């Protein structure tokens, strides 16, 4: 997450781990993000150069915003609101817009997963903890001129509110059923990693410190990742920003419950209703355009005149809500300027047929396709029903090699069946991890063994297996057809239940036997814990395994790349032995844009091509 007419291959860090986002979001293919890497994450200055072309954002110099509107689409899903960090709204479709409006934070991902400092936002300095037994302490300083678009400074209050919105133990005790803040990240940041919260002397301080309870490897990617305006929350519950900070310091549960109610619902929108700038200020290069949202069609954002960093290159960006199957035609018609379609066997020939109208970029992506089992009692694959025997039967009949040969190799001739979840086939440690975790038994279809295991499961055949995914999605429809043609032969009845609302309804409700989607990776190390560990928010199938839980705990408490590698081997082996699910392939990526556009750059990470959209320029 490669041929352009001048191929831009997204390089993969040799030493940098490329991992699932702590709280990943559905990928461009309607998945959630995720994947864990194999080594320590590198950090470079934004202008740093490792001897090859930098994967950081380009330094455009003294630029001036030009008039114009660039049209882009992530897919057909409607925007849902300013708060894209709830367990219900955290999706690619929302984040691609809100990442242009909410503060970027102290660090960002380059095109290969390298983590770069965002010097325009501020600085982060390690005070202690990189060596020895001292606690990991980071001192953060926000740029003096960093402000929300309403003029309120971005300061300590915002970061303290970010922390409390992830439900510290005093706000969400173990005997409580539902966390007050419906935050996608769960509770580990506050209850395990930073139990005492950010520390400062005043509510409006620009400098503060964060002390970690253990050596958390992804510390660069947490503080500032979920930033919302604390002063707005305070105003909405009838107090000052200073009083809100004091309420958090005092562990005032009643006040924070009021804050949580607004945080959960006050920033959501009905289709077509642009968020009120009085409660939805920008902390980035763009802001919402008044009247810029047409329900079911598009939403437009415009340059934020109060942004302190480099101004955006183009005045307006419009995000169309358009089914991916129509992206190539829309690019040809001029209705879209940039597309990143889920590549099918027809995508490249269609784009190449447009000739000089477009430019094409292709490359390997940190996004991977997978089939995840539902472990709820109602599912045929649960321990209460068919159990491991039935999961193994399904794994034996899924034609993974045929799926790759038919659907992926026409786009990427080097594509292979993927046999890991936390490392990718193009990463250095892939072979080592796979050899330690998986014996290759499911590489080829074995219908005889599959049928034997179906009989061993004791369930009456045919066994209905609903495979759910976000539709329309031609490639996934084809995948399900191939699975059905194979697995129906051994006693399964594969049912395609792809639907447009799969992620909002069926997936969280467990209304499926197998979920088909993609996790999109970035540069994180420990974030896969959110997918595979017992009770975590993105563990949709309710898988539970003590060995996996313990390995993730050990991995996420270490800064040592060797510990990360060894624990990843344990995790991968256990996920194969118990069949959490079945990895299929790493996604091939394709980006195309109007010829002559500047600064459109494919990225391997979950941020997608819009990662630097504020730098895009139309041809003159």
């Amino acid at each position: 997450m490669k041929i352009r007419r001048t191929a831009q291959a997204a390089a993969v860090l040799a030493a940098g781990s490329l991992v699932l986002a702590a709280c990943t979001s559905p990928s461009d293919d309607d998945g959630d993000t995720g994947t864990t890497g194999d080594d320590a994450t590198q950090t470079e200055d934004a202008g740093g150069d490792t001897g090859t072309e930098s994967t950081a954002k380009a330094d455009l110099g003294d630029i001036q915003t030009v008039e114009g509107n660039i049209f882009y689409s992530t897919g057909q899903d409607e925007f849902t609101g300013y708060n894209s960090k709830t367990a219900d709204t955290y999706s690619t479709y929302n984040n691609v817009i809100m990442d242009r409006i909410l503060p970027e934070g102290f660090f960002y991902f380059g095109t290969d997963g390298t983590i770069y400092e965002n010097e325009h936002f501020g600085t982060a300095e390690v005070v202690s903890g990189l060596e020895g037994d001292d606690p990991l302490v980071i001192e953060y300083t926000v740029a003096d001129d960093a402000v929300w678009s309403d003029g309120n400074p971005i300061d300590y209050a915002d970061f303290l509110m970010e922390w409390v919105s992830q439900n510290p133990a005093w706000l969400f005790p173990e005997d409580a059923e539902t966390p007050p803040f419906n935050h996608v990240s769960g509770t580990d940041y506050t209850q395990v990693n930073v139990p005492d919260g950010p520390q400062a002397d005043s509510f409006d301080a620009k400098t503060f410190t964060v002390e970690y309870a253990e050596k958390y490897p992804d510390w660069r990617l947490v503080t500032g990742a979920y930033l919302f305006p604390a002063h707005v929350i305070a105003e909405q519950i009838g107090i000052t920003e200073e009083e809100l900070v004091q309420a958090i310091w005092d562990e005032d549960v009643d006040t924070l419950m009021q804050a949580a109610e607004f945080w959960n619902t006050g920033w959501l929108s009905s289709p077509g209703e642009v968020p009120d700038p009085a409660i939805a200020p920008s902390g980035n290069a763009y802001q919402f355009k008044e009247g810029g949202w047409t329900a079911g069609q598009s939403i437009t954002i415009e340059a934020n005149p109060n942004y302190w960093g480099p101004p955006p290159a183009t005045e307006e960006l419009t995000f169309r809500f358009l089914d991916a199957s129509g992206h190539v035609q829309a690019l040809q018609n001029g209705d879209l300027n940039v597309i990143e379609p889920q590549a099918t066997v027809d995508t490249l020939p269609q784009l190449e047929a447009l000739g000089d109208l477009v430019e094409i970029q292709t490359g390997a992506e940190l996004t991977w396709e997978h089939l995840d089992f539902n472990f709820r009692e109602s599912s045929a694959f649960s321990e209460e029903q068919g159990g491991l025997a039935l999961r193994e039967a399904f794994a034996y009949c899924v034609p993974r090699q045929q799926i790759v040969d038919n659907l992926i190799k026409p786009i990427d001739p080097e594509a292979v069946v993927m046999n890991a979840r936390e490392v990718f086939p193009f990463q250095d440690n892939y072979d080592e991890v796979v050899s330690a975790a998986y014996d290759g038994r499911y590489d080829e279809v074995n219908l005889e063994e599959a049928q034997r295991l179906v009989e061993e499961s004791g369930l009456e055949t045919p066994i209905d297996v609903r495979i759910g995914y976000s539709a329309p999605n031609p490639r996934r429809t084809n995948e399900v057809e191939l699975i059905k043609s194979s697995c129906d032969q051994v006693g399964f009845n594969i049912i395609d239940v792809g639907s447009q609302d799969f992620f909002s309804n069926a997936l969280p409700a467990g209304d499926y036997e197998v979920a088909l989607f993609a996790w999109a990776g970035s540069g994180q190390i420990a974030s896969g814990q959110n997918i595979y560990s017992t009770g975590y928010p993105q563990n949709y199938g309710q898988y539970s395994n003590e060995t996996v839980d313990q390995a993730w705990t050990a991995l996420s408490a270490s800064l040592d790349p060797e510990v990360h590698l060894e624990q990843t081997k344990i995790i991968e082996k256990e996920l194969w032995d118990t069949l959490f699910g079945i990895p299929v392939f790493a996604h091939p990526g394709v980006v195309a844009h109007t010829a002559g556009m500047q600064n459109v750059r494919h990225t391997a990470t979950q941020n997608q091509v819009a990662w630097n959209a504020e730098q895009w320029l139309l041809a003159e």
Side-chain angles (χ1 to χ4, degrees):
M1 326 166 285
K2 303 176 163 356
I3 90 186
R4 170 184 164 173
R5 301 278 165 108
T6 59
Q8 179 192 18
V12 178
L13 288 177
S17 83
L18 303 169
V19 245
L20 147 72
C23 294
T24 69
S25 60
S27 78
D28 61 326
D29 310 314
D30 309 314
D32 273 43
T33 58
T35 259
T36 300
D38 54 3
D39 211 74
T41 303
Q42 291 182 346
T43 304
E44 302 178 26
D45 292 334
D49 190 352
T50 59
T52 58
E53 181 181 357
S54 175
T55 61
K57 291 186 178 180
D59 182 356
L60 301 185
D62 186 19
I63 64 169
Q64 300 294 322
T65 303
V66 300
E67 293 184 3
N69 193 349
I70 295 175
F71 294 85
Y72 170 68
S73 178
T74 308
Q76 74 275 7
D77 284 29
E78 187 82 58
F79 179 65
T80 57
Y82 184 77
N83 189 348
S84 61
K85 309 303 182 185
T86 75
D88 305 313
T89 62
Y90 194 79
S91 71
T92 298
Y93 304 106
N94 246 32
N95 286 334
V96 73
I97 296 167
M98 289 312 305
D99 284 352
R100 320 275 78 79
I101 292 174
L102 292 175
E104 187 173 32
F106 295 99
F107 299 93
Y108 70 91
F109 292 118
T111 58
D112 60 355
T114 302
I115 299 174
Y116 292 95
E117 294 180 1
N118 179 13
E119 60 186 19
H120 303 294
F121 187 79
T123 61
E125 179 184 355
V126 179
V127 176
S128 67
L130 289 185
E131 297 180 1
D133 296 328
D134 294 333
L136 179 61
V137 178
I138 316 298
E139 181 179 82
Y140 295 92
T141 301
V142 184
D144 288 339
D145 52 358
V147 296
W148 297 98
S149 55
D150 60 9
N152 194 286
I154 297 175
D155 53 27
Y156 169 69
D158 300 310
F159 293 90
L160 186 64
M161 189 66 228
E162 174 188 47
W163 174 81
V164 84
S165 70
Q166 294 170 77
N167 302 294
W170 56 265
L171 188 61
F172 181 45
E174 290 184 359
D175 58 352
E177 294 185 2
T178 304
F181 289 88
N182 183 25
H183 201 294
V184 68
S185 74
T187 62
D188 265 14
Y189 180 55
T190 57
Q191 300 197 12
V192 177
N193 298 326
V194 186
D196 296 328
Q199 303 293 310
D201 295 331
S202 64
F203 78 98
D204 56 356
K206 283 283 189 173
T207 296
F208 60 93
T209 60
V210 172
E211 179 175 327
Y212 283 80
E214 296 181 343
K215 301 296 198 322
Y216 185 61
D218 286 325
W219 63 266
R220 295 176 185 86
L221 307 176
V222 183
T223 300
Y226 307 104
L227 210 61
F228 289 98
H231 68 283
V232 169
I233 297 173
E235 291 168 0
Q236 292 300 306
I237 63 174
I239 60 177
T240 67
E241 188 176 26
E242 183 173 10
E243 288 170 335
L244 177 61
V245 168
Q246 191 63 51
I248 299 172
W249 286 346
D250 293 341
E251 300 184 1
D252 181 349
V253 173
D254 290 342
T255 297
L256 270 299
M257 288 295 184
Q258 297 177 53
E261 182 176 357
F262 173 78
W263 193 95
N264 292 339
T265 62
W267 279 321
L268 305 183
S269 301
S270 298
E273 296 181 5
V274 175
D276 184 348
I279 65 169
S282 171
N284 210 322
Y286 285 95
Q287 64 185 15
F288 292 107
K289 180 179 181 180
E290 184 178 357
W293 185 0
T294 301
Q297 295 186 30
S298 66
I299 187 168
T300 298
I301 58 179
E302 62 182 4
N304 171 13
N306 292 324
Y307 183 55
W308 67 93
T314 303
E315 176 69 24
E316 295 183 351
L317 295 177
T318 292
F319 298 86
R320 293 194 185 280
F321 311 132
L322 180 64
D323 179 349
S325 64
H327 285 189
V328 174
Q329 185 65 52
L331 181 66
Q332 180 179 8
N333 296 344
D335 296 326
L336 290 176
N337 299 113
V338 182
I339 66 171
E340 191 173 17
Q342 183 187 101
T344 69
V345 294
D346 301 319
T347 303
L348 277 178
Q350 290 172 348
L351 290 171
E352 289 166 348
L354 301 183
D356 294 338
L357 292 175
V358 303
E359 296 177 36
I360 304 168
Q361 302 175 29
T362 66
E365 297 199 338
L366 296 168
T367 297
W368 60 283
E369 195 87 341
H370 53 94
L371 295 149
D372 288 355
F373 292 112
N374 183 358
F375 286 81
R376 292 173 175 83
E377 186 175 349
S378 59
S379 168
F381 294 110
S382 67
E383 303 305 337
E384 292 80 5
Q385 295 199 46
L388 179 60
L390 197 66
R391 298 196 296 275
E392 290 178 334
F394 186 77
Y396 273 118
C397 69
V398 171
R400 294 193 298 158
Q401 188 64 59
Q402 185 182 13
I403 289 171
V404 170
D405 290 345
N406 290 8
L407 305 178
I408 308 304
K409 282 195 173 183
I411 309 157
D412 177 9
E414 303 301 316
V416 297
V417 171
M418 187 164 166
N419 283 325
R421 303 153 184 84
E422 299 305 301
V423 287
F424 285 75
F426 46 78
Q427 289 183 286
D428 286 348
N429 286 337
Y430 176 78
D431 289 339
E432 181 178 350
V433 170
V434 171
S435 64
Y438 171 62
D439 62 7
R441 69 181 66 184
Y442 307 118
D443 285 358
E444 297 181 4
V445 169
N446 186 335
L447 296 183
E448 182 178 348
E449 181 66 4
Q451 188 161 9
R452 185 190 70 78
L453 286 162
V454 166
E455 294 171 357
E456 181 182 313
S457 76
L459 297 187
E460 183 178 348
T461 59
I463 302 167
D464 288 346
V465 173
R466 297 168 298 165
I467 301 182
Y469 58 94
S470 183
N473 190 308
R475 188 165 75 194
R476 293 212 170 105
T477 298
N478 290 337
E479 288 179 60
V480 175
E481 289 172 350
L482 290 173
I483 294 170
K484 182 175 180 63
S485 67
S486 178
C487 292
D488 277 13
Q489 298 181 61
V490 301
F492 291 110
N493 176 34
I494 304 300
I495 304 170
D496 184 330
V497 293
S499 64
Q500 188 170 346
D501 60 356
F502 176 71
F503 284 107
S504 59
N505 289 331
L507 185 63
D511 195 16
Y512 64 93
E513 277 70 54
V514 173
L516 172 59
F517 62 104
W519 288 115
S522 297
Q524 298 189 33
I525 297 167
S527 56
Q529 187 171 22
N530 204 45
I531 295 173
Y532 304 109
S533 292
T534 304
Y536 276 63
Q538 292 180 304
N539 184 350
Y540 298 119
Q542 298 186 3
Y543 172 82
S544 181
N545 182 283
E546 185 176 354
T547 299
V548 170
D549 292 348
Q550 291 175 350
W552 273 117
T553 298
L555 185 153
S556 64
S558 174
L559 300 178
D560 185 348
E562 289 302 317
V563 172
H564 302 159
L565 177 59
E566 292 309 309
Q567 295 304 318
T568 296
K569 292 177 183 178
I570 293 171
I571 291 165
E572 290 283 3
K573 186 176 189 309
E574 195 68 17
L575 292 176
W576 271 120
D577 289 349
T578 59
L579 274 180
F580 166 91
I582 307 168
V584 188
F585 56 82
H587 281 211
V590 176
V591 167
H593 59 84
T594 304
M597 283 189 68
Q598 299 178 37
N599 304 319
V600 178
R601 296 170 61 194
H602 173 270
T603 179
T605 73
Q606 67 188 44
N607 299 49
Q608 301 187 89
V609 68
W611 75 285
N612 70 332
E614 74 279 3
Q615 298 187 324
W616 292 352
L617 266 175
L618 291 167
E620 294 182 2

